[in-house]
Amino acid sequence: TSSGEGVDVDIGRAFSFVFEDANWVKKILIGGLISLVPLLGGMVTYSYMLEIVRRAYEGSGDELPEWDDFGGYLLRGLILFAALVIWFLPVIVLLGCVVGLRIAAADTSDNDGVAVISSLVLFGVVSVLILVIVVWSVVFLPILAGRYAVERRFGALFEFGEIWSEVRRAGAVPLLLLFVTYLAASMIGQLGIIACFIGVIFTAFYSNLVIAHGAGQVYRRARSLGEPAAPTSAPAF
């Protein structure tokens, strides 16, 4: 447990809360099966995770959400996906430019030295971009998930000043603790491989719920210097 500014982050709770729902087996089975649907299934399940984030942020009980709003889950998942693509757009463009230059260099030169140098440059740039993505995911992704889960506004994902303030209030230790939780939950998610690879569908979904609950707690800490935002039923945009 990490505390600060009067707000605790209880990672143990993130691992155990699922089992307090009387229908947890059914809900996890449904989530695992939905996740098998290409692309759209992922949108729905990640939006379901946002509901976990919101509930953990509010401290409004640990029952798992019902699977009774597929349309809403799909819409919110699509909106979050679009926002994340925009956030990653500079990285995508830079990577595309570097790959394009590497291909051009290979096509226009028969010099092996040029090919080696361009390959090394490409490797270096890709390595840096991977590091940027990891750091961005650790620092910003929990805050973005929390903002959208609580406010349900597309614009909330681009209020950069407020986002940075919330990152600072969340603190480095809770964010790193959440990342360690992600690694531990991911390892648990792989345990389903033991069951002829089929079980991984459901253990992976469980691990996502763990991460979502932890993210909700971290976001509650990020908003701890003010009153928590009340949930809204306003349109997603």
Side-chain angles (χ1 to χ4, degrees):
T1 302
S2 174
S3 61
E5 305 295 349
V7 177
D8 292 336
V9 177
D10 186 351
I11 293 304
R13 187 68 176 165
F15 282 92
S16 64
F17 85 99
V18 169
F19 308 109
E20 297 186 6
D21 188 306
N23 296 315
W24 70 269
V25 173
K26 180 184 73 174
K27 292 177 181 178
I28 286 183
L29 287 175
I30 293 173
L33 292 173
I34 291 174
S35 67
L36 292 176
V37 179
L39 189 58
L40 295 183
M43 302 289 181
V44 171
T45 54
Y46 280 117
S47 187
Y48 187 88
M49 289 170 60
L50 289 177
E51 183 62 18
I52 299 292
V53 172
R54 184 184 68 82
R55 293 186 180 201
Y57 165 81
E58 293 177 349
S60 58
D62 290 327
E63 285 192 1
L64 296 174
E66 298 293 337
W67 286 103
D68 58 359
D69 186 23
F70 287 95
Y73 288 145
L74 179 58
L75 176 61
R76 290 188 289 274
L78 288 170
I79 291 171
L80 180 62
F81 176 77
L84 294 181
V85 168
I86 294 173
W87 267 87
F88 276 110
L89 195 57
V91 173
I92 295 172
V93 171
L94 179 58
L95 181 60
C97 290
V98 173
V99 172
L101 290 174
R102 168 66 180 86
I103 293 174
D107 289 341
T108 58
S109 176
D110 295 328
N111 190 320
D112 291 339
V114 173
V116 170
I117 292 174
S118 61
S119 296
L120 290 174
V121 170
L122 176 60
F123 176 78
V125 172
V126 170
S127 299
V128 171
L129 291 179
I130 291 174
L131 179 61
V132 168
I133 291 172
V134 170
V135 172
W136 182 91
S137 298
V138 172
V139 174
F140 289 101
L141 191 54
I143 304 303
L144 293 177
R147 287 185 66 80
Y148 186 61
V150 172
E151 301 193 17
R152 293 189 179 180
R153 293 188 299 111
F154 184 78
L157 297 167
F158 299 96
E159 294 169 348
F160 302 112
E162 293 184 22
I163 291 170
W164 179 241
S165 295
E166 289 173 357
V167 167
R168 294 177 61 187
R169 289 202 295 268
V173 172
L175 288 170
L176 287 174
L177 182 59
L178 181 61
F179 180 62
V180 172
T181 301
Y182 162 76
L183 296 177
S186 297
M187 292 177 64
I188 292 175
Q190 297 306 309
L191 292 178
I193 293 176
I194 298 173
C196 301
F197 292 92
I198 298 174
V200 72
I201 300 166
F202 309 107
T203 53
F205 182 68
Y206 162 74
S207 71
N208 286 337
L209 301 184
V210 172
I211 297 163
H213 196 281
Q217 293 186 56
V218 170
Y219 189 63
R220 185 174 68 235
R221 177 187 171 93
R223 298 287 284 260
S224 63
L225 296 185
E227 292 298 321
T232 176
S233 58
F237 283 94

